[in-house]
Amino acid sequence: ATLRVISAGGVDAVTHRRVAAEAEVALGSTTYYFASREELLREAFRHYLNEVTSAIATLEREKPLEGVHGIAEALTELARREFSEPALVLAEYELVLYAARDPVLAQDFNAYEQRLEAQLAGPLERLGADRPVDAARTVIELMRGFELEHLTRPNGSLEDLRRRLELVISALTGSGSAGGA
């Protein structure tokens, strides 16, 4: 419910009263479980990060991160799935900005980002990346840029994202051909 409130009106729209109304529960339910608005926001973001982590694990089982094309395909599919609910992506970025001002949430978000980097660094290293963590960060930042752009231009092409991912991954790994390895 908190994520829905955030996606509709931003972090500033979150109050116990609004979240309780969105969840269709008594106001006392939110104040009992969440002592403060900050705690409500933190737990909503943690919940979201756990959901995304689980979705990534499911996707990895379906589309292993193997080869330039395979990594690009998996990441493009991740973007497609995320944007099946654009309101959640909007809520994610609202919360990322909030985390910039909340040291506790920033720590949680940074730990999540480090897990993503580690997951992607292994396959990139196997492809020949000299600095696999830096390569992973670069690819993740490309994905984040696409997500932000897609929020304002929803007609952006997933095929264009896949093509750009293949170019970047090829360059970072020295794989030479965007469709190879």
Side-chain angles (χ1 to χ4, degrees), residues 15-181:
T15 64
H16 281 280
R17 187 173 309 284
R18 281 194 182 133
V19 171
E22 180 68 30
E24 298 179 354
V25 298
L27 176 60
S29 297
T30 63
T31 57
Y32 178 79
Y33 289 103
F34 306 101
S36 67
R37 177 179 175 277
E38 289 74 23
E39 188 178 328
L40 187 61
L41 287 165
R42 288 174 184 159
E43 289 306 316
F45 198 27
R46 288 175 182 138
H47 172 75
Y48 177 79
L49 295 176
N50 286 334
E51 290 294 312
V52 171
T53 299
S54 177
I56 290 170
T58 298
L59 178 61
E60 235 182 330
R61 287 189 297 276
E62 294 170 12
K63 294 183 175 285
L65 299 174
E66 297 172 0
V68 171
H69 183 73
I71 294 170
E73 283 294 321
L75 293 174
T76 302
E77 178 61 17
L78 177 62
R80 188 191 66 73
R81 290 179 187 186
E82 284 182 333
F83 276 98
S84 67
E85 295 185 63
L88 284 179
V89 178
L90 183 59
E92 174 185 350
Y93 281 97
E94 291 280 349
L95 286 164
V96 168
L97 291 173
Y98 181 76
R101 294 178 199 91
D102 181 323
V104 173
L105 204 49
Q107 186 175 2
D108 290 343
F109 180 68
N110 289 328
Y112 164 77
E113 286 284 290
Q114 287 174 343
R115 287 190 305 273
L116 288 179
E117 291 165 7
Q119 270 181 291
L120 193 52
L124 293 172
E125 185 174 34
R126 287 189 294 279
L127 281 174
D130 291 334
R131 297 169 60 186
V133 173
D134 286 344
R137 291 178 82 181
T138 300
V139 171
I140 290 167
E141 288 167 6
L142 172 63
M143 292 290 295
R144 290 219 175 274
F146 174 81
E147 290 171 344
L148 286 169
E149 181 181 331
H150 202 66
L151 286 171
T152 59
R153 285 195 278 172
N155 295 330
S157 165
L158 287 171
E159 179 56 31
D160 183 52
L161 171 64
R162 187 202 52 74
R163 181 188 57 74
R164 288 187 286 151
L165 282 166
E166 285 188 0
L167 288 170
V168 169
I169 294 166
S170 292
L172 291 169
T173 61
S175 294
S177 125

